[in-house]
Amino acid sequence: MDLMEYQGKQVFARYGIEVSPGDVARTADEAVAVAQRVGYPVVVKAQVHIGGRGKAGGVKLAHDAEETRFHAGNILGLDIRGHVVSVLWVEHASDIAEEYYASFTLDRSAKKHLGMLSAQGGVDIEAVAASAPDAIARVWVDPTVGLTTEQARAWVEAARLNPAATDGAVDILLTLYRCYVDGDCDLAEINPLILTPDGQVKALDAKVSLDDNAAFRHPEWEAFAGTEDLDERERLAKEKHLQYVGLDGTVGIIANGAGLAMSTVDVVSQVGGTPANFLDIGGGANAAVMAAALEVIESDDKVRAIFINIFGGITRGEEVANGIVQALGRFTPRSPIVIRLDGTNAEEGRRILEPHLSDRLVSQPTMLDAARQAVALAGTVA
Amino acid sequence: MAIFVDEGTRVVVQGLTGGQGRYHGLRNRAYGTRVVAGVSPKKAGIDVEGIPVVASVQEAVDAHQANASFVVVPPAAAAGAILEAATAGLAFIVCITEGIPAKDEARVYNALVNDHPGVRLLGPNCPGVISPGKCNIGITAGEIAQLPTAGGPNVGIVSRSGTLTYQALYELKQKEIGVSTCVGIGGDPVPGTSFVDCLAAFEEDAETDAILMIGEIGGSAEEEAAEFVAAHVTKPMSAYIAGVTAPPGKKMGHAGAIVSGGKGTAQGKMDALAAAGVQVGRNPTEAGELMAEIVASLS
């Protein structure tokens, strides 16, 4: 789950990473109240799931209540490349001597945690990586050992930060590592990490992405529920615990397993169709899951045909078949359905489906045949 | 011959008394796998349709000579279960658990590398491994795997995705092409066994004559595999990469499957494999057809 800046700062605060005093505001009045509390000057910042807020006019400096109200009023409702601002973060403005970049993420090739630190902060780190790769100091951390103080110090020295920042940077990086690991972040990034004229090192921004698989040990993540950047279909799917990604086409896709779902999207495209979505029902597809999947697919007006592609492993053929039959008892889709069923207990599954087959519910033996028929149906149904 | 598992594999199921563990443990046994014990600290002493349940993996090793483990436990318990199996001295561990936090996976992977260098972990979040006719550990439906052809040629299969592993088996079954071993390495960010590990094992395996590889978008495992193929693999290969049409920045179900910054795209992976001499199909069926041509040329 990708967090917005203010949520990332809440995670940072939990682990003791220094941020500027501030709070969330949803109206201009609230913004002024926060500003009075934290002290002027303040920065008023749009909270959206997208970068480049400053250039879009979503970050403004204010010296008094009037300016705060003016900027807050302008930023609320602002459309930043399709993301409309409804939440602001208002914080005491920091004096900045220098801007750095720091982050931790998983290096999947090395299978270790990767820390990146650069004296060139406040800009897009991918641009730095492309134009001046040597400007990024990297450290690989063995998860069974953790980031040691000596390692952090050598890393900071390799990044050639201002010597005045060394001790503060070592401290904040050790804390950021703990936040990244104990906080189950997929990404914990500070850009910019700033050095103030009086020698403090602190986080001016926060970009945090959480590992959804670790939610069971983070009850505090409840606070972030419902704030994700999802379209309506994705929100409905999430409520029903389905893995769904919305696309633009007309063939709705339900498959079991991420790989098969991806492959189904590929095959539908290759036979000349346009996939409406990626939807993985995972293992163990019962009637409730299948009904939920059909409902999510049908909430998309563009869908003209549905392709259910199941290869049984954990998911058993008779469960899927019963699931489909029962789901169709509860819910009548607008679109015709093409089913391809194979694998564990597939024959039993096909026997269960047999009496229910019609021109609205078709069974095909192979993935390619099923894709072709689904695409044909999507083209002919008005 | 085969890789990783064969007639001599003696399996302990960690989680045999749970719903999934019981179902798949019994299915594996019905296939012919020697399932010698189950582990459940709370239910030790009972049996599951004749399979004795003991309190620890160590006991399964001592009393039942287990030499491999099948881990089917909930995500919160998986890291502990894998390390228990490694500590008990099992050299091969299959973990099918889906939804393990990435931090746990990274910690377990490095703990195995540091403290148990002889141990191979397959998974987590994988379908398991089957050497047809010999041993099946995991959730693969054994009947879709074609038995190896005496005297060959036989194909080794390695795949990231579970259901595409079955699809690959199915494609070869339709064509009556023998399979030596089929390995599903799983789609998580830190798999215990990589494509390269499997390719190296297949290259060494006398029963395997050709290799079918199924990859997907995200990460760089397929690119690393392509480099390895160019340098070390002499056996002919076909491949398919899922996610050609995936939009960038979206996580396609598997935690690992995300295209970011132009890296990890299906096209990049297909190009890398083709450059290494692999026949690359645009869908699983095409990869199967390419493999059929390879096998025909070997017969």
Side-chain angles (χ1 to χ4, degrees):
Chain A
M1 188 198 318
D2 294 336
L3 299 185
M4 288 183 272
E5 174 193 3
Y6 76 96
Q7 297 167 322
K9 283 183 169 170
Q10 287 166 4
V11 174
F12 280 4
R14 190 180 173 86
Y15 293 91
I17 295 170
E18 178 128 11
V19 297
S20 200
D23 209 341
V24 171
R26 287 183 169 79
T27 64
D29 283 344
E30 281 179 23
V32 171
V34 174
Q36 308 283 18
R37 207 159 65 236
V38 300
Y40 294 102
V42 296
V43 186
V44 181
K45 305 175 85 173
Q47 299 297 295
V48 283
H49 284 102
I50 194 167
R53 291 173 294 170
K55 276 183 203 145
V59 180
K60 294 286 181 189
L61 186 67
H63 296 86
D64 54 36
E66 195 185 339
E67 275 186 25
T68 304
R69 189 180 305 282
F70 176 76
H71 290 313
N74 283 342
I75 296 172
L76 283 167
L78 187 67
D79 186 329
I80 302 180
R81 283 176 288 151
H83 299 250
V84 178
V85 181
S86 62
V87 180
L88 303 171
W89 173 257
V90 180
E91 73 175 22
H92 182 69
S94 302
D95 288 329
I96 301 171
E98 294 188 13
E99 293 185 86
Y100 308 134
Y101 170 93
S103 70
F104 283 101
T105 185
L106 175 70
D107 181 338
R108 290 172 49 179
S109 294
K111 298 182 170 68
K112 290 189 164 44
H113 299 312
L114 169 64
M116 292 195 282
L117 180 64
S118 176
Q120 297 186 22
V123 292
D124 181 6
I125 194 64
E126 281 173 8
V128 176
S131 65
D134 293 344
I136 301 173
R138 292 174 170 81
V139 65
W140 281 269
V141 184
D142 182 331
T144 64
V145 179
L147 180 69
T148 65
T149 308
E150 299 70 41
Q151 203 179 10
R153 189 162 290 276
W155 178 32
V156 169
E157 280 160 11
R160 297 189 295 274
L161 308 186
N162 186 326
T166 304
D167 289 349
V170 168
D171 281 350
I172 208 166
L173 291 170
L174 288 167
T175 314
L176 183 64
Y177 179 77
R178 202 166 57 80
C179 170
Y180 163 75
V181 173
D182 295 349
D184 280 302
C185 304
D186 282 338
L187 170 72
E189 180 184 85
I190 308 175
N191 188 24
L193 174 73
I194 59 159
L195 172 67
T196 63
D198 58 354
Q200 277 188 298
V201 177
K202 61 185 185 181
L204 207 62
D205 200 350
K207 190 171 175 192
V208 171
S209 183
L210 302 174
D211 175 3
D212 295 332
N213 284 346
F216 67 83
R217 58 191 178 204
H218 293 282
E220 75 275 15
W221 291 359
E222 280 295 317
F224 306 138
T227 62
E228 287 163 277
D229 182 30
L230 303 174
D231 70 22
E232 269 316 303
R233 298 175 297 169
E234 289 171 341
R235 200 178 302 280
L236 184 62
K238 177 129 189 147
E239 268 173 34
K240 297 180 183 294
H241 307 288
L242 298 167
Q243 297 279 356
Y244 178 94
V245 177
L247 303 168
D248 297 331
T250 57
V251 180
I253 289 166
I254 298 174
N256 66 317
L260 189 65
M262 267 186 267
S263 190
T264 309
V265 169
D266 288 349
V267 169
V268 165
S269 304
Q270 283 160 9
V271 299
T274 54
N277 66 279
F278 161 102
L279 195 161
D280 170 15
I281 53 170
N286 55 32
V289 172
M290 188 55 75
L294 287 170
E295 205 180 318
V296 169
I297 297 260
E298 289 266 312
S299 73
D300 181 345
D301 294 336
K302 287 194 196 160
V303 169
R304 292 290 174 270
I306 299 171
F307 178 7
I308 301 178
N309 190 6
I310 304 291
F311 208 111
I314 276 186
T315 308
R316 303 167 218 171
E318 80 276 17
E319 276 181 348
V320 175
N322 282 324
I324 292 168
V325 171
Q326 290 169 28
L328 293 177
R330 293 180 200 182
F331 179 84
T332 308
R334 288 178 280 112
S335 313
I337 299 173
V338 182
I339 301 171
R340 178 266 185 158
L341 187 58
D342 248 308
T344 309
N345 300 355
E347 279 177 25
E348 201 179 329
R350 285 190 218 116
R351 253 197 316 277
I352 293 167
L353 286 176
E354 184 66 44
H356 302 273
L357 296 179
S358 68
D359 59 344
R360 306 290 298 167
L361 184 67
V362 187
S363 175
Q364 283 286 353
T366 75
M367 192 160 152
L368 276 172
D369 290 334
R372 285 193 190 102
Q373 180 153 22
V375 170
L377 286 168
T380 54
V381 178
Chain B
M1 290 281 286
I3 69 168
F4 302 156
V5 294
D6 56 27
E7 304 90 332
T9 306
R10 297 173 64 86
V11 181
V12 52
V13 180
Q14 292 173 261
L16 183 67
T17 55
Q20 293 289 347
R22 181 189 174 92
Y23 180 74
H24 295 293
L26 291 174
R27 274 178 66 90
N28 286 173
R29 183 177 69 169
Y31 185 75
T33 306
R34 298 164 78 173
V35 179
V36 297
V39 174
S40 168
K42 288 183 191 141
K43 294 180 184 162
I46 65 163
D47 71 285
V48 171
E49 299 196 11
I51 305 170
V53 175
V54 296
S56 69
V57 178
Q58 190 63 56
E59 212 177 317
V61 173
D62 295 341
H64 303 285
Q65 295 79 50
N67 58 16
S69 174
F70 177 18
V71 177
V72 202
V73 300
I82 293 165
L83 292 175
E84 185 194 341
T87 305
L90 297 184
F92 188 70
I93 303 165
V94 176
C95 179
I96 66 163
T97 305
E98 183 176 359
I100 300 176
K103 296 294 175 293
D104 292 8
E105 288 187 12
R107 186 168 52 81
V108 166
Y109 180 90
N110 284 279
L112 293 180
V113 168
N114 297 340
D115 305 331
H116 306 280
V119 173
R120 170 167 305 292
L121 168 66
L122 179 62
N125 192 13
C126 78
V129 55
I130 178 169
S131 293
K134 300 175 184 130
C135 180
N136 182 11
I137 306 179
I139 61 183
T140 305
E143 65 270 18
I144 58 165
Q146 180 77 11
L147 293 174
T149 307
N154 288 299
V155 176
I157 301 173
V158 56
S159 164
R160 256 215 256 182
S161 141
T163 36
L164 285 180
T165 309
Y166 316 144
Q167 182 69 37
L169 280 167
Y170 175 82
E171 299 289 349
L172 296 190
K173 176 105 178 174
Q174 301 305 301
K175 298 174 170 62
E176 296 180 4
I177 295 172
V179 173
S180 55
T181 300
C182 172
V183 190
I185 60 174
D188 273 10
V190 195
T193 293
S194 67
F195 279 123
V196 169
D197 295 329
C198 297
L199 294 173
F202 280 132
E203 178 68 15
E204 290 295 310
D205 178 38
E207 197 184 23
T208 302
D209 303 290
I211 306 164
L212 172 57
M213 173 177 151
I214 312 276
E216 65 187 36
I217 53 166
S220 56
E222 289 79 3
E223 288 84 343
E224 286 152 24
E227 269 181 47
F228 183 82
V229 169
H232 301 289
V233 176
T234 59
K235 296 176 180 177
M237 288 181 62
S238 75
Y240 162 64
I241 306 293
V244 181
T245 44
K250 291 280 191 183
K251 194 187 274 188
M252 290 297 220
H254 281 166
I258 184 163
V259 179
S260 53
K263 289 188 195 130
T265 64
Q267 194 58 50
K269 291 168 187 294
M270 290 161 76
D271 292 347
L273 287 164
V278 176
Q279 303 274 318
V280 183
R282 290 184 315 139
N283 55 56
T285 306
E286 209 173 287
E289 282 161 3
L290 290 167
M291 183 47 71
E293 287 170 22
I294 290 171
V295 166
S297 75
L298 292 172
S299 301

